Amino acid sequence: MDNNVDFQKIKENFKKANLDEKIRIYTSTQGLTVEQFKELLRLYPIQHLDKLEKAMA
């Protein structure tokens, strides 16, 4: 299984997702590298960062 191909699929789904779905994807996806999580975070709407922080607490 190619981790990079899987990540590209996750990234595309993340781009298309609404805010709640972005939070679910970010908080429930396992096996990503720190860099991959950072890449998803760059796609997250910064004005709603507080909601993501609460979901991760």
Side-chain angles (χ1 to χ4, degrees), residues 12-39:
E12 286 304 312
N13 289 339
F14 192 83
K15 284 181 185 178
K16 297 174 187 173
N18 65 32
L19 185 64
D20 289 337
E21 189 66 11
K22 283 182 189 324
I23 291 170
R24 187 199 63 75
I25 292 168
Y26 195 89
T27 59
S28 67
T29 302
Q30 297 181 359
L32 298 182
T33 66
V34 171
E35 286 305 314
Q36 289 170 325
F37 275 115
K38 286 181 181 179
E39 194 168 337

Side-chain angles (χ1 to χ4, degrees), residues 1-21:
M1 180 164 62
D2 188 350
N3 190 33
N4 194 41
V5 172
D6 290 343
F7 177 68
Q8 290 305 319
K9 184 176 180 181
I10 291 168
K11 186 176 164 183
E12 286 304 312
N13 289 339
F14 192 83
K15 284 181 185 178
K16 297 174 187 173
N18 65 32
L19 185 64
D20 289 337
E21 189 66 11

